[in-house]
Amino acid sequence: MNVDDYQQEAMSLLNPALNPQDVLENALMGLCGESGEAIDLLKKHRFQGHPLDKEKLKKELGDVAWYLAEAANVPLSEILQGNLNKLHGRYPNGFSSERSMHRENAE
């Protein structure tokens, strides 16, 4: 499955009672909530002695993907390619700490 196929199928599961503004707000709030659940797994692992539950992390990241697809309102492939273009512009020879600290291409 490619990301645009995923997005199309995921959007078939949206709440039909929501208007476009509600869909966007729900998606952005969902991204924050699910990202918080993912980082909480790492926090418990790093600082509270829990084993890192990689299966639960995969599920949380899947929820992040769903909300990203919902928020995008354009094909995910377009967003992902745009992000790669930005990063290649920022780090044309691969990551470097120097370029990270002194960004010429900060967008």
Side-chain angles (χ1 to χ4, degrees), residues 82-92 99-107:
N83 180 255
L84 286 175
N85 293 347
K86 175 186 79 172
L87 292 172
H88 282 298
R90 187 177 294 162
Y91 306 112
R99 287 189 67 94
S100 178
M101 290 185 282
H102 306 286
R103 291 185 180 176
E104 296 171 18
N105 184 357
E107 291 187 64

